[in-house]
Amino acid sequence: MDIPITKKKFNTSKIIFAVGAILLLSFIIYASTSFGGNSRLNIDTERIIVSTVKDGSFQENIPVNGTVLPITTIYLDALEGGRVEEIFVEDGAIMQKGAPILRLSNSDLELNLVNQETSVYNLLTQMQISQNAARENTINKLNRKTDVENALIEAKRIYDLNKILYDEKAIGSQEFKEAENNYNYQKQRMELALQVLKQDSLSSSLEASQSKSSYTRTQSALALMRKKVGDLIVRAPVDGQLTSLDAEIGQSKNKGERLGQVDVLSGFKVRADIDEHYISRIYPGQNGVFSFNGNTYKLVIKKVYTQVTNGRFQVDMHLESEVPEGIRRGQSLKIRLALSDEKQAILIPKGSFFQKTGGNWIFKLSDDEKIAYKVDIQLGSQNTEYYEVLTGLQPGDKIITSSYQDYGDKNELKLNKK
């Protein structure tokens, strides 16, 4: 007799399948609560930065890089071309005004100087000869004038005597007429002699003036030529430090070529590069600060260079107080340049959250600091440390300012403290 076999309701395969399904369902439920949609995301508090919103003094500023430069730099250019014959000092030497730096040679200039000097000496000799001739000519005319004057005196004496004799009928009219004609003739000669002397004086004066003017011009040309030759010795234009000297013995330098520069050591300025985005907001008189050796120093913009190169423009800034001890030419400085006056504002520290949110929202902690949730905010100006909050937060609120890169599109974060 056959015994009926009762079929088992559960076997090993079904049990394993059921356990797997339960585990899968549990994982789906966990994933949906932890990672899916708008559910919360568990975050360890050790991996985030929590900051507190505060009310404080705010000034909009931007960070800029500056380079320390001498207060004044005088460039040395070759006023005349030539060959470098001597170099009297080394690059970096401290110079006194007028001290020689190097000497050039230029045979053409030196030959022109000799020719110019010869021309001046020849002109001077010719002027002396002309002056001597003019004086001799004047003396001759004066001698002739003296003879004429003496003849006039004698003719007048005879005329006066004959007039008396003629009135007394002692002489005839022919003799009196002859004396009268001679007297009139001598007067005309005298007038002519005076005119000749006057004309001679004017001519001599004009000739002397022309000669003097010609001599002055020639002397000026000679002085200019001597200066050109003198410029072959390059000298320090001011007291300062010689830098960037570019010259070697035997090297040829063209007129106008840069030889080096002299930096005035009486002070320093700072030249800063600024993004062209701010060019409309930068003007002389604005202030900046930098830290050096533990102290803070104030700068003021003195000059703005509006030329934009590679998206940046430059400004020159001067120190408002004493020069920091130990500061050197070429040193780089980190400067905070103020763009506005100080004011009271709600502030949050700058952080990596901005890269994700663009300043439009932020994670704010609940009162029990167990949950952080999204809130919409509006930011205003910024400086190197803070953002200005216009709406969405109040002083005392706590927020997450570290990176939101791994938070996806979660609206809430569950904060787990270890």
Side-chain angles (χ1 to χ4, degrees), residues 15-247:
I15 293 173
I16 293 174
F17 178 78
V19 171
I22 293 172
L23 291 175
L24 178 62
L25 180 61
S26 299
F27 175 77
I28 293 174
I29 294 173
Y30 172 79
S32 64
T33 57
S34 299
F35 301 100
N38 293 325
S39 58
R40 297 176 182 176
L41 178 66
N42 292 321
I43 298 295
D44 292 334
T45 54
E46 293 180 352
R47 300 174 57 189
I48 63 175
I49 298 175
V50 176
S51 303
T52 302
V53 181
K54 69 175 185 177
D55 187 6
S57 178
F58 176 79
Q59 185 179 51
E60 184 182 4
N61 59 49
I62 56 174
V64 297
N65 294 322
T67 303
V68 178
L69 299 176
I71 192 70
T72 304
T73 296
I74 308 298
Y75 294 104
L76 300 174
D77 294 338
L79 298 179
E80 298 296 335
R83 180 179 180 273
V84 179
E85 295 290 342
E86 291 182 88
I87 298 177
F88 302 109
V89 293
E90 297 292 333
D91 191 28
I94 304 300
M95 306 296 299
Q96 299 293 323
K97 181 178 180 180
I101 297 174
L102 58 86
R103 181 176 68 86
L104 304 172
S105 64
N106 187 319
S107 57
D108 290 339
L109 275 181
E110 293 166 355
L111 180 61
N112 288 339
L113 175 60
V114 172
N115 293 335
Q116 192 68 38
E117 288 177 335
T118 302
S119 297
V120 171
Y121 296 146
N122 290 338
L123 179 60
L124 181 59
T125 301
Q126 186 62 40
M127 284 177 56
Q128 292 174 342
I129 294 173
S130 298
Q131 289 174 355
N132 291 335
R135 279 195 295 269
E136 290 179 1
N137 187 42
T138 300
I139 290 172
N140 291 334
K141 287 183 173 61
L142 287 172
N143 286 333
R144 286 196 294 271
K145 184 248 183 187
T146 301
D147 292 339
V148 172
E149 185 177 17
N150 185 61
L152 176 60
I153 293 173
E154 181 62 20
K156 186 176 184 304
R157 184 186 67 79
I158 295 174
Y159 169 73
D160 291 340
L161 178 61
N162 286 352
K163 187 174 184 303
I164 295 173
L165 294 176
Y166 178 74
D167 291 340
E168 294 178 353
K169 308 294 185 182
I171 60 174
S173 60
Q174 180 64 29
E175 189 175 353
F176 171 70
K177 196 64 176 176
E178 184 178 347
E180 183 181 27
N181 289 339
N182 185 52
Y183 174 56
N184 291 332
Y185 168 69
Q186 295 300 334
K187 285 198 297 184
Q188 291 176 354
R189 286 186 64 199
M190 188 62 189
E191 290 177 359
L192 181 60
L194 292 174
Q195 289 179 1
V196 169
L197 281 175
K198 182 178 180 180
Q199 186 65 36
D200 179 71
S201 176
L202 292 175
S203 298
S204 297
S205 177
L206 179 60
E207 183 179 355
S209 176
Q210 291 175 341
S211 297
K212 183 178 180 180
S213 176
S214 177
Y215 181 71
T216 301
R217 289 195 300 270
T218 308
Q219 283 282 55
S220 298
L222 177 60
L224 180 60
M225 186 58 64
R226 284 174 175 166
K227 183 179 182 303
K228 284 178 174 289
V229 174
D231 288 338
L232 292 175
I233 298 179
V234 180
R235 301 178 182 273
V238 294
D239 294 345
Q241 184 178 23
L242 175 65
T243 59
S244 304
L245 181 62
D246 181 18

Side-chain angles (χ1 to χ4, degrees), residues 215-388:
Y215 181 71
T216 301
R217 289 195 300 270
T218 308
Q219 283 282 55
S220 298
L222 177 60
L224 180 60
M225 186 58 64
R226 284 174 175 166
K227 183 179 182 303
K228 284 178 174 289
V229 174
D231 288 338
L232 292 175
I233 298 179
V234 180
R235 301 178 182 273
V238 294
D239 294 345
Q241 184 178 23
L242 175 65
T243 59
S244 304
L245 181 62
D246 181 18
E248 299 292 340
I249 299 296
Q251 188 177 15
S252 294
K253 294 293 183 180
N254 297 321
K255 184 176 181 179
E257 188 172 345
R258 181 64 46 81
L259 302 175
Q261 64 188 51
V262 176
D263 298 331
V264 178
L265 302 179
S266 59
F268 293 97
K269 65 183 177 183
V270 177
R271 181 160 294 172
D273 288 324
I274 305 176
D275 192 283
E276 64 177 331
H277 173 75
Y278 298 101
I279 193 168
S280 62
R281 302 187 62 187
I282 302 299
Y283 51 86
Q286 282 180 282
N287 296 319
V289 294
F290 71 95
S291 297
F292 187 80
N293 288 339
N295 297 317
T296 300
Y297 297 90
K298 190 175 181 181
L299 296 165
V300 60
I301 294 178
K302 293 296 184 181
K303 186 174 183 180
V304 178
Y305 300 91
T306 55
Q307 181 179 0
V308 177
T309 304
N310 296 327
R312 307 187 74 80
F313 67 100
Q314 294 182 322
V315 299
D316 280 346
M317 309 181 76
H318 290 190
L319 284 158
E320 282 201 333
S321 56
E322 73 282 355
V323 176
E325 184 178 355
I327 201 166
R328 293 292 182 267
R329 179 183 185 273
Q331 196 161 1
S332 296
L333 300 176
K334 300 292 186 181
I335 303 168
R336 297 195 306 273
L337 181 61
L339 299 180
S340 67
D341 296 329
E342 288 190 357
K343 62 180 179 180
Q344 288 298 118
I346 299 175
L347 307 176
I348 59 174
K350 299 186 77 170
S352 301
F353 75 94
F354 191 87
Q355 298 174 0
K356 179 74 173 180
T357 71
N360 296 316
W361 56 272
I362 201 166
F363 278 113
K364 174 183 172 182
L365 273 65
S366 61
D367 293 339
D368 58 9
E369 299 184 12
K370 293 182 179 181
I371 296 175
Y373 54 92
K374 280 185 179 180
V375 293
D376 292 330
I377 61 172
Q378 182 181 359
L379 301 182
S381 302
Q382 60 178 293
N383 57 28
T384 54
E385 297 176 345
Y386 297 101
Y387 294 109
E388 177 190 15

